[in-house]
Amino acid sequence: MTDRPDLVEDLAALLRRLGMVMREHIHETVATHGLTPPQAWALQALEGPCHMSVLAERLRFDKSYVTGLADTLEGQGLVERNTDPSDRRAKLLSLTDAGREMQDRVKADALARLPIGVELSDDEMVALIGLLARALPETDDC
């Protein structure tokens, strides 16, 4: 019989290691594109117009921090802010054409140089994706 606390400890240790490897990978990848990780995360989270407050919730950032991110990304020509026609007090954040191109470049670069999973077969990768999807809580997208 297995000892569940030991399994949980092993899982936690592997996830911590995975987090460290991915954090380093993300920092290196986005830096080559002149972005910080939070800026890249914001770009990746924007698939369509998104309320800035929803983006803040999605990224688990304070609303004032997302305002600063939006200022920077807007200054780089990667996003634009528009008033929500259904609520003139709210702002919608949308990718510009340059923002979509940056989103695509960063994603392609990050996936091409992904430091994990290359030694797994397709079947093992599918199984791992399924297990992680079941283990993680669901989140709302913009």
Side-chain angles (χ1 to χ4, degrees):
M1 175 177 252
T2 59
D3 188 9
R4 188 150 178 95
D6 288 345
L7 291 174
V8 171
E9 186 176 340
D10 290 348
L11 176 61
L14 284 171
L15 291 174
R16 268 193 307 280
R17 253 181 66 205
L18 174 62
M20 289 186 287
V21 167
M22 290 304 298
R23 181 177 355 165
E24 183 177 326
H25 172 64
I26 289 166
H27 279 263
E28 290 173 0
T29 300
V30 301
T32 65
H33 296 277
L35 298 172
T36 65
Q39 291 167 347
W41 297 328
L43 291 178
Q44 292 303 316
L46 289 171
E47 290 299 325
C50 181
H51 284 102
M52 289 178 51
S53 60
V54 172
L55 182 62
E57 289 173 18
R58 171 73 173 112
L59 296 174
R60 293 173 174 75
F61 290 157
D62 187 81
K63 291 177 187 176
S64 64
Y65 186 73
V66 170
T67 299
L69 277 177
D71 290 344
T72 302
L73 293 171
E74 190 173 36
Q76 294 172 333
L78 301 175
V79 300
E80 60 186 8
R81 275 185 261 215
N82 294 298
T83 301
D84 182 348
S86 65
D87 181 357
R88 308 239 355 118
R89 297 167 297 165
K91 296 291 183 186
L92 293 171
L93 203 58
S94 302
L95 292 173
T96 62
D97 289 341
R100 275 186 284 285
E101 290 171 11
M102 178 67 79
Q103 183 188 57
D104 291 343
R105 281 195 311 269
V106 169
K107 184 177 181 179
D109 190 21
L111 292 175
R113 299 183 313 126
L114 195 63
I116 61 159
V118 294
E119 63 286 336
L120 298 177
S121 71
D122 288 353
D123 288 342
E124 289 171 325
M125 190 78 86
V126 168
L128 179 59
I129 290 167
L131 289 169
L132 288 173
R134 278 185 40 213
L136 292 171
E138 291 190 30
T139 59
D140 294 326
D141 291 329
C142 289

